[in-house]
């Protein structure tokens, strides 16, 4: 469970990257959705809501699917003895 929790948290961390793609990817087509969400203007609310839903859906499904492993891994990491 500890390795599963580590893998899940590492994947979530990489999924939410904003600074690294801005630095390393110059072509706007290759940039991830996390970068696009930061540049959407207030006049494009519909696009912002749709992009946010698409961006959030994989992480929500991962959290629901691997909730048991994630909770066990975090609980076992705090046990001393």
């Amino acid at each position: 469970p500890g390795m599963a929790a580590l893998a899940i948290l590492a994947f979530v961390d990489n999924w939410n990257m904003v600074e690294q793609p801005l630095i390393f990817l110059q072509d706007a087509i290759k940039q991830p959705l996390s970068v696009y969400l930061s540049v959407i203007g207030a006049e494009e609310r519909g696009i912002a809501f749709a992009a946010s839903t698409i961006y959030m859906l994989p992480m929500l499904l991962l959290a629901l699917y691997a909730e048991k492993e994630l909770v066990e891994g975090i609980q076992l990491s705090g046990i001393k003895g």
Side-chain angles (χ1 to χ4, degrees), residues 2-26:
M3 293 302 287
L6 175 66
I8 293 167
L9 293 174
F11 181 75
V12 170
D13 184 45
N14 287 327
W15 183 262
N16 292 323
M17 284 189 178
V18 175
E19 295 88 10
Q20 291 88 350
L22 280 173
I23 294 169
F24 296 121
L25 300 175
Q26 301 301 325

Side-chain angles (χ1 to χ4, degrees), residues 23-35:
I23 294 169
F24 296 121
L25 300 175
Q26 301 301 325
D27 191 10
I29 297 296
K30 295 180 183 178
Q31 291 181 342
L33 193 54
S34 60
V35 174

Side-chain angles (χ1 to χ4, degrees), residues 57-72:
L57 193 59
M59 290 299 103
L60 181 63
L61 294 175
L62 178 68
L64 293 175
Y65 179 73
E67 179 182 9
K68 179 183 172 189
E69 290 83 10
L70 186 60
V71 170
E72 284 181 17

